[in-house]
Amino acid sequence: MTSGDWSPGYPADEDLGYLRAALADPDHLNAALGYYWGQFDPTRFGTPEWMAEQAAAWGGSVPQPLLYLHGTNDGCHGMTAAQVERVTEFGGPGSESELIEGVGHFMLVERPKELNDRISGWLNRTG
C-alpha cells in the first residue's frame, strides 16, 4: 500500500522525504509505530486484556462536541456518507461531521487552507 492508495492523486514525494528524515531517529520510529503495535498485536487479539483495552478506548461517547471530517477518496478508512453522519451520535451537542469531496486520508496536506478554515470556523462557533 502506498500514500497514493490512501490519498489518490496527492503527490506525496516531498512529504515522504520529511517523514523518512523524522523516522530515521529510532526513538521517533518507535513512538510512531507504538500505537499500531499496541492496537494490532495479533497475539493479543481476543484476549480479555485486549478486549478491556478496546472497550476503554472505543466503548463510549464523549460529552464534548466533536468535528469529524472524512475524505471521499480515503483509501485507508472508507466510509459512506451515512457512516460519517452517524459519527455525531458519539459526541456532545454541537458535534458536526462532513464528508469532504475529492480528498483522501491525508486531507490536511492535500488542502491545508480549506481544512484549516473549516476547523477554525467550527472552533469559533463551539468555543
Side-chain angles (χ1 to χ4, degrees):
M1 183 166 283
T2 68
S3 63
D5 295 328
W6 288 18
S7 282
Y10 178 71
D13 295 342
E14 183 178 345
D15 294 328
L16 289 174
Y18 296 130
L19 178 67
R20 285 184 192 98
L23 297 180
D25 180 320
D27 290 335
H28 294 173
L29 180 62
N30 282 332
L33 293 178
Y35 167 81
Y36 299 99
W37 290 335
Q39 294 296 313
F40 303 108
D41 177 358
T43 64
R44 299 181 66 233
F45 284 172
T47 65
E49 296 81 14
W50 180 83
M51 291 180 358
E53 289 171 5
Q54 295 302 304
W58 304 103
S61 299
V62 295
Q64 299 83 6
L66 60 87
L67 173 64
Y68 182 79
L69 305 174
H70 194 91
T72 57
N73 296 341
D74 189 328
C76 179
H77 303 288
M79 291 179 67
T80 66
Q83 290 169 319
V84 169
E85 189 174 306
R86 284 200 59 220
V87 170
T88 60
E89 297 172 17
F90 300 95
S95 292
E96 295 179 23
S97 64
E98 185 177 344
L99 194 57
I100 308 292
E101 187 66 40
V103 296
H105 190 72
F106 303 111
M107 68 174 72
L108 287 169
V109 293
E110 293 177 59
R111 292 197 205 149
K113 180 168 180 7
E114 177 185 338
L115 274 292
N116 282 320
D117 288 350
R118 176 70 176 90
I119 293 166
S120 296
W122 182 81
L123 288 171
N124 287 332
R125 287 191 307 279
T126 59

